[in-house]
Amino acid sequence: MVEKIKRLCSFSSSYSSRLVWLIVPLIVVSSLLGLFSTKNFNWGSWNFVSIPSSSSSEVGVLLGPNRTSSVSSEEGSGPRLDATDWRGRLAGGNGSIHGQQVDIPDESSVKLNGSSNSPPPLLAAEAIEIQTTVEKIEESLNITISGSHTVPSMNESHTLSMKAISKRKPSHLQNIEAHLGKARAVIKEARINRNQTEDPDFVPTGPMYWNANAFHRSYLEMEKQFKVFVYEEGEPPIFHDGPCKSIYAMEGNFIYHMEISQFRTKDPEKAHVFFLPFSVTSIVRFVYERKKHYWAPMKQTVKDYVHLVARKYQYWNRSLGADHFMLACHDWKNNQMANAALQGPELSSAVPNLFKNSIRALCNANTSEGFNPTKDVSFPEILLPDGSTNHLLGGPSPSKRPILAFFAGGVHGPIRPVLLQHWENKDADIQIHKYLPKGVSYYGMIRKSRYCICPSGYEVASPRMVEALYMGCVPVIIKDHYVAPFSDVLNWKSFSVEVPVKDIPNLKTILTGISQRQYIRLQRRGKQVRRHFEVNLRPKRFDVFHMILHSIWLRRLNVRVDDDVEGS
């Protein structure tokens, strides 16, 4: 009996001891509840997660604006959970507490107020499960908690289930930049791996491309995500209109096709770039005072338009124009001026940020006049007599081209007088004319010639390069400071001949020095790249409209725009 009492007493003592260890934490929790019951808990500013402990010290995580994320316990009271352990528990992804994003960097300090200079890294997972973390901590502390895990608060409307943690959504711009980053990565991979991508319509290949695989992948990425916002402000004929039949036809063609393109978005928040839809040719025609040679009204037209969209929308000031583009084929000079001095891209200089930051798609891609190949786009000048390429495409085989080289055109600019001085009426193989004899077809001469001379005039742009490609004649480029169209993708040396101005006297020697085999290669490659210069009433993949867009897409890939950029 005594033994049984001893056993009972022994059991009673052990049971009482365990009961005490069970009740004490509950008392501590109750005390904490009482403490918080007298205070207003602002979920918008602070987020508190309380984790019960087996000792009098508290183990918890405090996450708030510009605060330190910490989990600690007194020595001897239980295992210490440092920042590394906490990151390990959140390794599954990016978390947020009541809309505040939680990134756990290498340092112990976590900023949640959005004041960080760089955006948070992109993580694979969408959210974290806090309950799992709590259960792991409970297990390490040998404590069992029953029921749902909620953060204690007397404000019932703010009671937060730890299973319903939401992540702050990135802005539209951050999403755009994230997708652009992915595009850059896959383009880089294609450039290195050189694995061809299947395409039912066309797969670029051959030495005409600097890197055919990278170009193809970039083009596909453009088709998949590129969006352009066209400002609707402004009235025709200066805005949203342009010529479609003159030597400046590409202005009107691009504006028209851009307005109805699948790449256009009506939502500026989804746009990668913003198009300023004014026609420089129309400005020159309707605003320029030729008799007075007065430029100020034209510059003011451009300036007023940029200021209009900058005041109405946030996007110009956000990037200082870096994600905006304009397009012009007019050479912006007065051909009637006695000195025929080069004026350069005067109209874009009316707005310094338009000249310095924006993407300028220009026919007159002259580096001596401010064209910057790293941000500006060179596109071809194309003469469309009837507004289409009817009767312009195609030509005879190399064996049916008896003329070695051909040129006919006005004598203006610094290069053409030199060309005519050395070759006009000097050699039957080198047909150089200021004016063609009556009854002789200009296009017929191109189709009879192996090489077509393409010298600069007042400006570097000329439709002769495209005319030559259209009709199977190898272009001979004689220009200074010129960036050829789409040369970010196309290797012009593989399908044309470049002759320095100083070598004009040696023109025949240079051309006859090209072997028949090499000439046929040049001619065949020119026919292959012709599709990139063709104008279609309904744009087709890889044609000139899409190549212009692709060049703009490439420039946008080189720019990162942040939400916190300020400008005026």
Side-chain angles (χ1 to χ4, degrees):
M1 185 70 176
V2 174
E3 183 178 353
K4 289 183 179 181
I5 292 176
K6 287 182 178 180
R7 287 180 180 179
L8 180 59
C9 293
S10 175
F11 175 77
S12 298
S13 174
S14 174
Y15 178 82
S16 299
S17 176
R18 294 183 182 182
L19 185 62
V20 168
W21 283 107
L22 178 63
I23 292 175
V24 167
L26 295 177
I27 295 175
V28 172
V29 172
S30 299
S31 300
L32 290 175
L33 286 172
L35 179 62
F36 280 100
S37 65
T38 59
K39 297 182 180 180
N40 263 335
F41 204 81
N42 188 346
W43 287 102
S45 301
W46 301 98
N47 303 286
F48 192 83
V49 181
S50 178
I51 303 175
S53 171
S54 60
S55 69
S56 60
S57 64
E58 180 184 44
V59 179
V61 182
L62 180 64
L63 302 176
N66 295 321
R67 293 287 178 152
T68 299
S69 170
S70 61
V71 182
S72 61
S73 64
E74 293 293 331
E75 184 177 357
S77 63
R80 180 178 178 83
L81 184 63
D82 60 18
T84 304
D85 296 327
W86 181 241
R87 283 195 298 273
R89 298 188 193 280
L90 302 185
N94 200 7
S96 64
I97 298 183
H98 254 283
Q100 295 189 7
Q101 185 165 322
V102 181
D103 286 320
I104 309 298
D106 291 336
E107 298 79 16
S108 60
S109 178
V110 180
K111 294 183 178 180
L112 302 179
N113 62 354
S115 62
S116 175
N117 292 330
S118 59
L122 297 175
L123 299 178
E126 291 297 327
I128 59 172
E129 288 287 350
I130 298 295
Q131 180 175 350
T132 303
T133 302
V134 174
E135 289 173 349
K136 289 183 178 180
I137 297 177
E138 292 168 3
E139 182 180 353
S140 66
L141 298 176
N142 296 318
I143 290 185
T144 301
I145 299 178
S146 60
S148 61
H149 300 291
T150 58
V151 179
S153 171
M154 296 306 294
N155 188 343
E156 295 300 330
S157 64
H158 289 297
T159 301
L160 176 67
S161 171
M162 292 186 181
K163 286 186 177 181
I165 304 300
S166 62
K167 190 180 79 169
R168 182 179 62 187
K169 293 183 178 180
S171 68
H172 291 289
L173 182 59
Q174 287 173 330
N175 279 329
I176 287 174
E177 292 296 339
H179 285 93
L180 289 176
K182 293 179 181 179
R184 283 190 290 267
V186 297
I187 294 169
K188 182 178 180 181
E189 182 181 359
R191 178 171 57 86
I192 296 173
N193 295 338
R194 296 184 177 273
N195 295 325
Q196 283 192 348
T197 304
E198 293 184 3
D199 194 309
D201 293 333
F202 174 70
V203 176
T205 183
M208 303 84 70
Y209 305 95
W210 294 113
N211 189 310
N213 295 326
F215 164 54
H216 194 202
R217 173 47 58 189
S218 176
Y219 188 92
L220 295 177
E221 289 297 317
M222 176 191 75
E223 288 184 318
K224 184 166 63 175
Q225 61 175 292
F226 194 39
K227 292 298 177 184
V228 179
F229 180 77
V230 181
Y231 287 112
E232 296 184 355
E233 288 68 24
E235 298 293 334
I238 294 177
F239 304 95
H240 306 282
D241 197 4
C244 292
K245 294 184 179 181
S246 72
I247 197 173
Y248 308 125
M250 287 309 300
E251 278 191 22
N253 271 276
F254 183 87
I255 291 173
Y256 171 75
H257 288 133
M258 189 68 256
E259 299 258 354
I260 61 174
S261 172
Q262 63 178 352
F263 292 95
R264 183 180 182 181
T265 177
K266 294 287 188 176
D267 184 355
E269 289 294 314
K270 297 179 180 179
H272 298 85
V273 294
F274 301 81
F275 180 39
L276 303 168
F278 56 80
S279 166
V280 174
T281 303
S282 296
I283 292 176
V284 172
R285 179 180 177 185
F286 295 104
V287 180
Y288 181 48
E289 299 183 26
R290 293 183 180 275
K291 293 182 179 180
K292 297 181 180 179
H293 306 313
Y294 195 34
W295 284 74
M298 293 194 299
K299 291 185 176 181
Q300 193 63 42
T301 300
V302 175
K303 188 175 182 179
D304 288 345
Y305 190 79
V306 172
H307 287 180
L308 171 66
V309 298
R311 287 193 302 267
K312 187 172 181 180
Y313 303 90
Q314 63 172 313
Y315 308 105
W316 176 272
N317 289 332
R318 182 181 69 180
S319 67
L320 298 181
D323 55 357
H324 286 59
F325 78 95
M326 57 165 287
L327 180 138
C329 213
H330 199 282
D331 53 15
W332 300 340
K333 69 178 304 301
N334 179 14
N335 294 345
Q336 298 176 357
M337 293 179 64
N339 59 4
L342 298 180
Q343 295 297 322
E346 286 286 338
L347 296 193
S348 63
S349 66
V351 182
N353 284 330
L354 177 61
F355 184 92
K356 181 177 66 175
N357 298 335
S358 298
I359 302 169
R360 300 178 306 152
L362 308 175
C363 288
N364 185 41
N366 191 334
T367 57
S368 70
E369 297 179 357
F371 182 87
N372 181 357
T374 61
K375 75 170 189 68
D376 295 330
V377 169
S378 173
F379 72 99
E381 187 174 272
I382 303 176
L383 173 61
L384 300 174
D386 64 355
S388 71
T389 57
N390 293 335
H391 312 298
L392 296 180
L393 301 179
S397 64
S399 62
K400 297 180 181 180
R401 295 176 178 266
I403 300 173
L404 178 63
F406 166 71
F407 168 80
V411 182
H412 51 78
I415 295 178
R416 294 184 185 184
V418 178
L419 178 66
L420 269 74
Q421 176 187 350
H422 283 88
W423 293 105
E424 185 179 20
N425 300 321
K426 300 290 179 64
D427 192 311
D429 290 333
I430 308 292
Q431 294 284 324
I432 305 298
H433 303 273
K434 181 178 180 181
Y435 301 107
L436 282 175
K438 188 176 181 179
V440 177
S441 168
Y442 175 75
Y443 292 143
M445 289 293 291
I446 293 178
R447 288 186 168 96
K448 292 179 181 179
S449 302
R450 292 189 172 196
Y451 298 95
C452 290
I453 312 301
C454 307
S456 293
Y458 281 125
E459 296 289 3
V460 293
S462 168
R464 288 172 177 80
M465 296 167 62
V466 174
E467 289 170 344
L469 292 173
Y470 276 2
M471 302 176 200
C473 188
V474 176
V476 178
I477 302 172
I478 309 178
K479 303 174 186 287
D480 287 331
H481 314 294
Y482 182 54
V483 178
F486 315 135
S487 53
D488 43 15
V489 169
L490 299 178
N491 176 14
W492 276 83
K493 291 183 178 180
S494 70
F495 57 90
S496 68
V497 178
E498 296 180 6
V499 176
V501 176
K502 64 181 180 63
D503 288 335
I504 288 177
N506 304 318
L507 185 59
K508 185 173 182 178
T509 302
I510 293 171
L511 297 180
T512 55
I514 299 173
S515 68
Q516 177 71 5
R517 183 178 181 181
Q518 181 60 18
Y519 159 71
I520 292 176
R521 286 177 180 169
L522 293 171
Q523 201 256 5
R524 183 180 66 248
R525 293 167 183 169
K527 291 173 64 176
Q528 289 175 320
V529 300
R530 188 183 75 186
R531 69 183 301 146
H532 301 315
F533 297 88
E534 292 180 6
V535 179
N536 296 295
L537 295 179
R538 291 186 176 182
K540 299 178 181 180
R541 299 181 69 212
F542 298 98
D543 69 1
V544 68
F545 172 76
H546 289 96
M547 290 297 289
I548 294 172
L549 275 182
H550 180 261
S551 290
I552 296 168
W553 156 256
L554 285 182
R555 272 58 178 186
R556 180 60 179 88
L557 283 175
N558 289 333
V559 175
R560 181 181 179 111
V561 181
D562 294 321
D563 280 315
D564 58 352
V565 174
E566 296 181 358
S568 60

